[in-house]
Amino acid sequence: MRTNRIRTTVLAATALAAALSLTACGGEDKAMGTKPAGAAETATPAATNTDNTGGTDDKAQPDAPKAGTPDTQTVPAEGKHAGGNGNGKKPETAPNEKAAPSIPACTPKNSTVKVSSVSRPINHLLLTVTNTGSTNCAAYYAPFLRFDDAQAVYPVLDDSKPQAVVTLSPGQEAYAGISLLGEPGQNEPVKSENLGVIMVDKNNESAGESTLKLPAETYTDSLGFVTYWQSDVENALMF
């Protein structure tokens, strides 16, 4: 840009010298006072137009996708694990959160949560949420867990993200698997007695907490995880 301005100044000086030989002193002053300023004014809009159409403005960049948002839906299984009431009815599903803004989240006000032991896989627990309300609710994302008085929430396994959010009709259930321990010897297990379960809304923000009593002799470490909500037990415990 600086080189272009230098060249422009040289050309303007040459043209000005020619004009001086044909005009009077008054005309010389006018040419020297207005010509350079006019050239700068016409150049500025051109530069501004190039910036506006070049696509480099930050506003032209697409918004980053929201982390942790399930994109599509899981395929629910038949029977008790799918419907929560043994009638073989499948949970209703929503393509994604934005497509079903009217579906409220499952919270302690419209659902109950329980934790139970499982024989397989070892060092796992099963978390079950049941819609106890009179309308549909959605089990968004994964529950936030806190063992006893832990300040940090339990890790969430991203690989367990379902194909979509599970929507529960009254009486239906959704499931999340809890892995309690990492590889043996990697971390010191700590005995826990209580579990705080925080349900979240479609924006992945807290929608209420329930405190549950853990099964006896429950040990955890920082290498465990909880899965996203699933429509059947098998998917919740496969990780």
Side-chain angles (χ1 to χ4, degrees):
M1 181 62 71
R2 185 176 180 180
T3 301
N4 292 337
R5 289 179 178 175
I6 293 174
R7 292 176 178 173
T8 302
T9 302
V10 172
L11 293 175
T14 303
L16 179 60
L20 287 175
S21 64
L22 300 175
T23 60
C25 292
E28 173 183 353
D29 293 339
K30 182 177 179 181
M32 294 178 66
T34 60
K35 186 65 176 179
E41 292 172 0
T42 57
T44 300
T48 302
N49 183 60
T50 301
D51 291 342
N52 290 339
T53 58
T56 59
D57 194 326
D58 290 342
K59 294 181 180 179
Q61 302 300 322
D63 294 334
K66 184 179 294 185
T69 304
D71 297 323
T72 52
Q73 192 88 335
T74 50
V75 178
E78 299 286 349
K80 174 71 175 177
H81 290 166
N85 52 14
N87 60 8
K89 194 162 101 179
K90 297 181 180 180
E92 296 177 13
T93 56
N96 52 53
E97 292 88 340
K98 293 181 179 179
S102 62
I103 301 177
C106 297
T107 73
K109 294 182 178 180
N110 60 17
S111 59
T112 58
V113 183
K114 67 178 181 179
V115 61
S116 55
S117 302
V118 293
S119 58
R120 290 287 186 274
I122 60 172
N123 297 324
H124 276 65
L125 296 176
L126 179 66
L127 202 61
T128 304
V129 59
T130 304
N131 181 353
T132 58
S134 57
T135 59
N136 291 355
C137 71
Y140 289 108
Y141 300 100
F144 294 156
L145 303 184
R146 289 192 296 204
F147 287 89
D148 290 332
D149 297 325
Q151 298 299 313
V153 297
Y154 211 52
V156 174
L157 183 64
D158 286 337
D159 288 346
S160 68
K161 185 185 296 184
Q163 294 179 332
V165 176
V166 179
T167 300
L168 303 178
S169 297
Q172 292 184 324
E173 300 175 344
Y175 310 90
I178 303 173
S179 173
L180 298 172
L181 302 171
E183 293 296 327
Q186 288 187 337
N187 214 335
E188 184 67 24
V190 176
K191 186 176 181 178
S192 300
E193 296 182 353
N194 299 297
L195 177 65
V197 181
I198 303 173
M199 302 297 292
V200 299
D201 59 19
K202 65 178 181 179
N203 297 315
N204 204 21
E205 297 179 353
S206 174
E209 180 175 4
S210 302
T211 301
L212 309 177
K213 190 72 175 178
L214 287 165
E217 301 300 314
T218 296
Y219 288 84
T220 65
D221 63 22
S222 60
L223 301 179
F225 59 80
V226 61
T227 70
Y228 280 69
W229 290 112
Q230 310 290 334
S231 61
D232 59 75
V233 173
E234 289 76 13
N235 285 343
L237 295 176
M238 68 181 293
F239 300 97

